[in-house]
Amino acid sequence: NSYQELLEYISKELNNPNQLIIGSDGAVPIKNAVQAVFPDTTHLYCTRHVRKNIERQLIKCRAIQEERRMLLEIIFDSSDSLLQSETEEEFDVRLEDLRTRWDVLKRNHEARFRGATDFFQWFSQYQADVFRNHMIASLRIAAHYTHRNGSPRLFYNNDIESMNYALKSQTNWELQTLPDIIDILDKQITRQRN
């Protein structure tokens, strides 16, 4: 696939590709390409993309806005959120807290949640390993993806999304060969520098 071709090209051009931190939105083709070309590299997922997926799922699970806000705080926003876990053990304890909070919501609003997808089961099946392998603080710290004070930075790919849009605009949203993509990127980078 073209992602793998691009990463193979980058790998050939780099002296020490094992020191890379790769960030993406977590799309399966990108994930597979990263695993194939850079299996030992830290691959961070965009916090905004993962959060939006979880917010959509909470709506599907019939959580009202106040409940969504509370659950998102446990997952992303508080200083002791799942995202800020500095060890696997800490993540597991916080995941159990999320289960407890969800169970309380289900018990208190049984009629509303009846027949809906169980959010905690969905999260455990589709998101827990995403957090463990691509998002939690321990990964970002180990990869030195930190602020100057040593605290772990969150990864967002907003800049990448902008570049992606510019690239697609330049190609009229049509497939291009890898050399053509590299030429387009080179021209965009040169324009930004000037």
Side-chain angles (χ1 to χ4, degrees):
N1 82 41
S2 57
Y3 292 116
Q4 188 164 335
E5 280 182 54
L6 178 61
L7 292 179
E8 286 169 351
Y9 174 82
I10 291 169
S11 179
K12 288 176 189 171
E13 295 296 315
L14 295 174
N15 291 333
N16 189 0
N18 293 329
Q19 299 299 316
L20 284 180
I21 299 173
I22 296 176
S24 76
D25 62 3
V28 173
I30 297 171
K31 176 185 173 191
N32 292 342
V34 170
Q35 286 176 336
V37 180
F38 297 112
D40 299 324
T41 294
T42 299
H43 182 189
L44 300 177
Y45 285 8
C46 175
T47 304
R48 183 178 59 85
H49 278 87
V50 174
R51 183 184 183 107
K52 288 292 181 197
N53 290 341
I54 291 171
E55 286 177 6
R56 281 191 294 272
Q57 188 61 37
L58 283 166
I59 291 168
K60 288 179 188 176
C61 292
R62 302 181 188 155
I64 62 173
Q65 185 173 10
E66 178 184 314
E67 295 163 345
R68 292 193 305 267
R69 223 179 274 131
M70 183 263 299
L71 294 167
L72 290 169
E73 184 170 325
I74 293 167
I75 298 168
F76 291 99
D77 300 333
S78 71
S79 60
D80 58 350
S81 67
L82 285 170
L83 186 61
Q84 296 302 343
S85 299
E86 292 188 11
T87 66
E88 282 279 332
E89 295 77 22
E90 195 170 72
F91 180 82
D92 290 338
V93 168
R94 293 173 181 182
L95 186 60
E96 191 56 38
D97 181 48
L98 178 64
R99 174 199 298 269
T100 301
R101 300 282 186 95
W102 177 252
D103 286 346
V104 168
L105 284 176
K106 283 192 321 185
R107 268 194 312 276
N108 291 343
H109 306 284
E110 193 174 314
R112 180 168 29 104
F113 291 119
R114 187 175 299 121
T117 300
D118 184 282
F119 173 73
F120 185 80
Q121 286 179 355
W122 174 86
F123 188 91
S124 295
Q125 182 174 356
Y126 297 106
Q127 297 297 314
D129 283 341
V130 166
F131 275 72
R132 281 187 184 100
N133 299 321
H134 303 284
M135 298 187 70
I136 63 174
S138 61
L139 296 172
R140 292 176 277 131
I141 291 167
H144 305 289
Y145 193 71
T146 57
H147 296 285
R148 288 184 181 160
N149 67 4
S151 64
R153 293 171 49 196
L154 298 178
F155 173 74
Y156 293 96
N157 66 351
N158 299 343
D159 294 340
I160 298 163
E161 293 287 340
S162 296
M163 181 62 100
N164 188 35
Y165 180 79
L167 178 63
K168 287 180 178 178
S169 295
Q170 289 282 64
T171 64
N172 293 318
W173 300 77
E174 295 177 6
L175 287 175
Q176 303 291 318
T177 65
L178 183 58
D180 289 342
I181 290 173
I182 291 169
D183 288 343
I184 292 167
L185 288 172
D186 184 53
K187 289 175 187 170
Q188 286 184 339
I189 291 167
T190 301
R191 269 196 307 271
Q192 287 181 1
R193 285 184 181 156
N194 298 333

